[in-house]
Amino acid sequence: MSEHRRKPPQPQGGGRAAARRGQSGSSSGRRAAPRGATGSLSDSYGSDSYDSGGEERQYGGRAEARRAAQRSTGGGRRRAAEPTRGGRRAAPAGRGRAAPVPDGKRLVDYPRAGKYGWQRWLPSWRLVSGLCIGFFGSLVAVAGIGYAMVGVPNEENAAALSQNNVYYWADGTQMVAAGSGQNRQNVTIDRIPKEMQWAVISAENKSFYQDSGVDPMGIARALANMARGGDTQGGSTITQQFVKNTYLSQEQTVTRKFKEMFISIKVGTKLTKGQILQGYLNTSYYGRGAYGIQAAAQAYYGKEAKDLTPSECAFLAALLKGPTYYDPAGNDSIAGATKDKNLKRSKDRWGWILEQMHNDKRITDKQYQDAIKKYPMPDDRKASRGMTGQIGYLADTAKKYVLNHSNITEKQFDQGGYQIKTTFEKSKVEALAKAVKKVEKEKLDPKNRELDKHVQFGAASVKPKDGAIVALYGGAGYENGHFNNNADTSGVPVGSTWKPFVLAAAMEHGTYRSNGPLSPLSKYNGNDHLKVRNNDGSYVLKKDNTPFFQENESDRPWGYISLRKAMEQSVNTPFVQLGMDVGMKNVADVAEKSGILNSSFAGLNASFALGTSTPSAIRMADAYATFAAAGKQAAPYSVTSVKANGQEIEGFDKPRITQAMPEKVAHNVTDTLENVIQNGTGKKALALGRTAAGKTGTTDENKSAWFVGYTQQLSTSVAMFREDPKSARLLSMNGTAGEKSIHGGDTPTQVWTEYMKAALKGKPDLGFPEAEKIGEIQDEVGAPTPTPTPSVEPSETVTESPSATPSESSTPSPTPSDTCGFFGCEEDGGAQNGGTGNGGTDGETSPEPTPTDTNLDGGSSRGNGNGGIFGGPEG
């Protein structure tokens, strides 16, 4: 065969296009022009099919040579003169393409040989399938190794065996060992109702009897959530949850999740489904310190597990979603876990579980209809061993503080094993409880007087300049069915004990008319039934656009009196107008910096100045401690250290002390409140026999009464109120203790004095720093121009006579429509969003009172705020 008809071998670098060009050239009977024959510049790149010595070309043509050169150099531009070979330019170093390794000799053909452009980077199906096989093979190998290496632990983990928590007094002696150490009983599967078993399966793991014990997709979701920092819950089967409860810790880590998966697979091969379900129901946490279905049945319904009804089974199964949020008893220490919210969540999930059981054919139509008729409301919580008297409230307060200052969950805490050292001093706790009991015995007779029933007290005592809660009174005790901690209650407005914050704001910020701080000797109109002015001179209006009138307890025409005198006698009208002049936002700011949580604030309207807000007794004691400490504020705390397994847990250092207000302001507030005890509504506190300052408070319709007072060593608040046990609504105390009304200056002050006598026994009387003159006298708009008189020192105690001529307030007493709030009336007769806030007194009134023995106070209706350390109840 002639040479020009012989088909040359397929070049490695030329591709199919070059091959076609070679075939075309041979078919025409002509050979390709030798290199340089055309005189084209392109002839100097690459190599022809045959060189001058008859060698075969590496590339298929000039175009292909250009492309090869561009691939080799990254562009089509020529370099400078390059060496030649045989009269022709040779391929420069790195310019030409090195001979590729044959496909059969490359371990991984990527980038692909013989392909160009995007095809060069497109992996072949062989490569893709090989990688997939390798990847899944590796997973199988890792899973096999993990399965072989991870064994089922021989013993249950410590967390599954619940322990007690030990609480200690401030001096280190043991207060109580409490928890769920004794509240767990295992029962066999035959003693667990079928409805309970199916309720859990229908709600949490419908494929329980068919699956291998793990849910790969659920695990993937859990791992993805963990990677995002979210919750890992919702990715577990019943078997996995049983393994976690029994053998593993509760930590949320990838390692723990993989261990859980491998152990679950092994457990699924060793135990029957009935054994796994039995173990799960016996180790799960149902709240109230109850581990296992038997303890849960006792805690919620006071019966054996085998006696539970289908409806009750659905309720208990709902708790497994998280008892903190599904126990109708609520948990005020946790945000969003109130009684109302928990009850709604519980009812919704209970109904859903019954529906799932019905859909899954686990209960009959009749059983479903019977069960869904009525929600099975559980029993009230019961006092656990040792949690009687005030101990339950102390432990509850300490527990809340621990949960709010650490990463410990409620479930982990209730599993026990913690040692908690508190700030509570045993002698002071006992003294406070004794003071309450003594006054109750003297004043109240619930067996013979209907209006003495349901009267409650709440109290707290805090160290100024520190914040340590040394004592509290929470109520009658868990053993008497009283589980609400009254020292930490919400919903009880503080009345006129709020007025010192209004005065402090005026002395710090001044009013819209003053050029600086306002003196407490400034005069405001103290008459009854006054219109309240906005800063622009217009009157504050009610919802119906008629003027809003502020009331005092009586219609006595006080005329223009100093703010000091108005505080002494707790006259309402001056402080409402003062609050408007200072700005209620400034009042709220001072209160918050002093230690009151803004979550307990009422609306910033005219009545805000009269104590419509609802902070707890702990927060009020702490805020007044700011005055006692010359303006230094420390948040209240109840725990100094927490240990687990001998290791100290971080997060329990003392709160940082801040300067909440200028010292001069705090000293002047204290001086004014000293006068309240010496000459005003708090005179019963004189029985303490030492220097003290304080303020009385009584609220709308006599629904609550307060006294908050302090020395430099202790600040203590006492609240008294009546509450409907069914609706938790406040009831009027008019007629309680056989008195026309109960005032802050009466029973609460008596309790305060009895306690402080015992708590400060043997302590020196430190007095208070002398108050410096502060601010300028700036009388209210409309006040008569004063005639020159000798200056009056801040400690003035002179009696101010009523004004000679009645002001505009000397109009007939308002009708009910006139005295409701200017944004509308409340059902319980209180003022909301600018209500009247009338009706409170801080002591008895006589038919013809003098300024020093008439005790007038402002009040408000029950508020809705929360009074805890973290926006909820105290910790």
Side-chain angles (χ1 to χ4, degrees):
M1 181 182 297
S2 65
E3 184 178 346
H4 74 277
R5 293 178 62 86
R6 180 170 59 84
K7 182 177 180 181
Q10 179 70 26
Q12 290 184 357
R16 281 180 277 183
R20 285 195 298 273
R21 285 195 294 273
Q23 292 173 1
S24 174
S26 64
S27 64
S28 65
R30 293 179 297 181
R31 290 187 60 181
R35 184 191 300 272
T38 65
S40 171
L41 292 174
S42 64
D43 288 339
S44 63
Y45 288 86
S47 60
D48 293 328
S49 294
Y50 304 95
D51 63 11
S52 57
E55 294 176 309
E56 292 186 8
R57 292 190 301 182
Q58 185 179 357
Y59 297 100
R62 290 190 297 271
E64 186 59 23
R66 285 196 300 272
R67 284 193 290 272
Q70 291 169 357
R71 286 194 296 270
S72 177
T73 65
R77 300 177 63 183
R78 288 186 303 176
R79 293 183 178 176
E82 298 155 339
T84 60
R85 182 178 60 186
R88 293 176 297 174
R89 189 180 302 277
R95 173 78 68 176
R97 181 174 176 181
V101 178
D103 290 349
K105 295 182 180 180
R106 297 178 69 186
L107 182 62
V108 178
D109 183 23
Y110 193 80
R112 296 174 67 186
K115 301 292 183 182
Y116 304 99
W118 63 270
Q119 291 179 327
R120 176 176 169 80
W121 304 100
L122 183 68
S124 67
W125 67 270
R126 293 186 183 88
L127 179 61
V128 173
S129 59
L131 289 175
C132 289
I133 292 172
F135 175 74
F136 288 110
S138 299
L139 285 182
V140 172
V142 170
I145 294 171
Y147 183 81
M149 292 180 65
V150 177
V152 178
N154 294 324
E155 297 181 355
E156 295 177 339
N157 68 339
L161 301 173
S162 55
Q163 307 171 58
N164 283 327
N165 292 317
V166 182
Y167 296 86
Y168 298 91
W169 295 104
D171 63 4
T173 58
Q174 183 172 316
M175 179 195 303
V176 66
S180 53
Q182 303 300 321
N183 195 15
R184 179 180 175 190
Q185 303 171 48
N186 289 343
V187 291
T188 56
I189 194 71
D190 60 295
R191 300 191 67 190
I192 301 174
K194 283 288 185 182
E195 290 83 5
M196 185 67 208
Q197 300 175 41
W198 288 120
V200 171
I201 292 172
S202 293
E204 299 190 27
N205 187 187
K206 290 179 182 291
S207 63
F208 172 68
Y209 280 106
Q210 291 79 41
D211 62 41
S212 62
V214 296
D215 176 9
M217 293 304 297
I219 292 174
R221 287 194 302 271
L223 293 174
N225 287 340
M226 241 187 296
R228 293 194 298 266
D231 190 3
T232 63
Q233 299 302 313
S236 300
T237 63
I238 286 176
T239 304
Q240 287 175 262
Q241 293 179 63
F242 164 63
V243 167
K244 181 175 67 174
N245 290 344
T246 307
Y247 302 114
L248 299 174
S249 68
Q250 300 298 312
E251 61 180 344
Q252 305 292 352
T253 63
V254 174
T255 302
R256 203 274 297 158
K257 202 69 182 174
F258 275 111
K259 281 184 179 180
E260 175 190 302
M261 178 178 67
F262 293 130
I263 294 175
S264 297
I265 294 173
K266 285 193 172 183
V267 166
T269 62
K270 291 184 177 182
L271 301 180
T272 66
K273 291 291 185 179
Q275 289 172 317
I276 292 172
L277 186 59
Q278 171 184 300
Y280 173 61
L281 291 172
N282 278 327
T283 58
S284 293
Y285 182 58
Y286 295 81
R288 300 190 183 183
Y291 284 83
I293 184 62
Q294 178 72 0
Q298 292 284 356
Y300 288 92
Y301 294 108
K303 59 172 66 173
E304 299 285 314
K306 63 183 179 62
D307 298 325
L308 292 168
T309 67
S311 183
E312 292 167 345
C313 289
F315 168 83
L316 293 176
L319 290 172
L320 295 175
K321 182 77 171 175
T324 299
Y325 297 98
Y326 288 86
D327 181 355
N331 188 335
D332 290 337
S333 66
I334 307 297
T338 63
K339 287 184 178 181
D340 291 342
K341 291 181 179 179
N342 278 19
L343 180 60
K344 183 181 186 306
R345 275 190 288 261
S346 177
K347 285 184 175 180
D348 289 345
R349 187 158 179 83
W350 162 78
W352 177 81
I353 290 175
L354 286 174
E355 183 181 27
Q356 295 302 306
M357 294 170 68
H358 183 239
N359 293 342
D360 295 341
K361 308 297 183 185
R362 304 308 182 188
I363 54 176
T364 65
D365 292 344
K366 184 179 186 307
Q367 285 179 309
Y368 175 69
Q369 294 300 328
D370 290 343
I372 204 70
K373 281 180 182 177
K374 185 179 180 181
Y375 175 76
M377 181 63 75
D379 299 338
D380 291 332
R381 286 180 294 184
K382 301 177 181 65
S384 57
R385 186 181 59 177
M387 303 291 274
T388 57
Q390 297 306 301
I391 299 298
Y393 307 117
L394 299 175
D396 177 65
T397 301
K399 173 184 175 180
K400 292 173 183 178
Y401 192 86
V402 170
L403 297 181
N404 284 318
H405 286 79
S406 70
N407 293 323
I408 301 170
T409 66
E410 186 175 23
K411 180 178 180 180
Q412 290 171 330
F413 188 86
D414 286 348
Q415 284 172 339
Y418 296 96
Q419 295 83 48
I420 305 101
K421 186 176 180 181
T422 72
T423 60
F424 305 124
E425 298 180 20
K426 185 177 182 180
S427 62
K428 290 182 173 61
V429 170
E430 291 176 346
L432 186 53
K434 185 177 179 180
V436 172
K437 297 302 180 186
K438 179 181 178 181
V439 174
E440 279 184 329
K441 187 175 181 180
E442 290 177 359
K443 297 273 189 176
L444 304 177
D445 185 10
K447 291 183 179 180
N448 298 313
R449 275 199 300 261
E450 184 68 25
L451 292 176
D452 287 3
K453 292 180 178 179
H454 314 308
V455 173
Q456 300 181 31
F457 289 87
S461 192
V462 173
K463 282 185 179 180
K465 298 182 183 178
D466 185 281
I469 307 169
V470 297
L472 57 79
Y473 181 84
Y478 289 1
E479 69 275 20
N480 294 313
H482 186 86
F483 291 93
N484 291 329
N485 186 349
N486 290 347
D488 189 18
T489 192
S490 61
V492 180
V494 295
S496 288
T497 57
W498 194 260
K499 289 174 182 174
F501 301 123
V502 183
L503 181 62
M507 290 192 289
E508 182 176 354
H509 298 286
T511 69
Y512 75 98
R513 296 174 55 240
S514 67
N515 295 321
L518 195 72
S519 168
L521 300 182
S522 300
K523 288 183 169 59
Y524 271 67
N525 195 337
N527 288 335
D528 179 48
H529 194 62
L530 292 183
K531 295 178 182 178
V532 180
R533 294 179 183 272
N534 294 305
N535 292 171
D536 61 5
S538 64
Y539 291 119
V540 173
L541 301 178
K542 296 187 295 185
K543 192 174 182 179
D544 60 2
N545 289 323
T546 59
F548 161 67
F549 289 89
Q550 178 57 54
E551 311 297 326
N552 292 327
E553 194 274 334
S554 75
D555 60 359
R556 176 168 186 143
W558 285 95
Y560 285 88
I561 56 175
S562 71
L563 296 172
R564 179 183 175 82
K565 176 59 66 173
M567 185 75 75
E568 174 192 300
Q569 300 300 322
S570 203
V571 186
N572 289 342
T573 48
F575 285 98
V576 173
Q577 189 58 62
L578 178 65
M580 296 298 293
D581 292 352
V582 172
M584 295 300 180
K585 179 65 176 67
N586 286 329
V587 174
D589 182 62
V590 168
E592 185 173 6
K593 288 180 178 177
S594 298
I596 305 296
L597 295 177
N598 61 14
S599 58
S600 66
F601 288 168
L604 301 186
N605 48 63
S607 292
F608 182 73
L610 297 181
T612 52
S613 298
T614 59
S616 68
I618 293 175
R619 279 289 170 178
M620 285 300 288
D622 184 66
Y624 271 51
T626 303
F627 300 138
K632 294 180 176 63
Q633 206 283 323
Y637 68 101
S638 59
V639 174
T640 57
S641 71
V642 177
K643 291 182 179 179
N645 299 319
Q647 299 296 315
E648 192 90 21
I649 296 175
E650 295 181 354
F652 299 98
D653 296 329
K654 285 186 177 182
R656 185 170 59 91
I657 296 176
T658 61
Q659 191 70 39
M661 65 183 68
E663 285 189 12
K664 186 183 289 188
V665 170
H667 292 332
N668 273 272
V669 170
T670 294
D671 181 74
T672 303
L673 297 185
E674 276 188 87
N675 187 53
V676 171
I677 291 178
Q678 293 165 359
N679 302 296
T681 59
K683 277 186 176 181
K684 287 189 177 180
L686 288 172
L688 178 61
R690 64 172 66 222
T691 306
K695 182 69 185 78
T696 57
T698 310
T699 58
D700 203 32
E701 295 187 12
N702 203 206
K703 290 181 178 178
S704 64
W706 288 73
F707 184 77
V708 188
Y710 55 91
T711 65
Q712 284 204 58
Q713 296 103 323
L714 282 180
S715 176
T716 303
S717 65
V718 178
M720 178 182 178
F721 56 94
R722 285 185 73 215
E723 185 177 69
D724 184 335
K726 294 182 179 179
S727 66
R729 289 179 59 84
L730 293 184
L731 304 172
S732 174
M733 290 189 291
N734 289 334
T736 295
E739 302 287 345
K740 183 178 179 181
S741 60
I742 297 294
H743 312 123
D746 184 20
T747 307
T749 305
Q750 246 183 293
V751 172
W752 182 90
T753 305
E754 288 290 333
Y755 162 71
M756 292 290 276
K757 279 182 182 179
L760 296 173
K761 187 176 182 179
K763 305 289 184 183
D765 184 353
L766 300 179
F768 293 111
E770 186 175 347
E772 303 176 47
K773 179 182 177 182
I774 189 171
E776 299 296 329
I777 295 177
Q778 177 83 59
D779 295 340
E780 179 189 1
V781 174
T785 303
T787 57
T789 57
S791 60
V792 182
E793 295 300 320
S795 59
E796 66 160 349
T797 58
V798 297
T799 300
E800 300 183 40
S801 60
S803 58
T805 57
S807 67
E808 62 180 342
S809 67
S810 57
T811 56
S813 296
T815 62
S817 62
D818 290 327
T819 58
C820 64
F822 63 88
F823 285 110
C825 302
E826 284 190 315
E827 184 180 347
D828 63 3
Q832 183 180 24
N833 296 330
T836 61
N838 67 320
T841 63
D842 282 335
E844 295 183 12
T845 57
S846 61
E848 296 181 347
T850 62
T852 55
D853 65 12
T854 303
N855 305 308
L856 305 176
D857 184 27
S860 67
S861 66
R862 182 180 183 181
N864 296 316
N866 295 321
I869 289 182
F870 295 96
E874 297 294 345

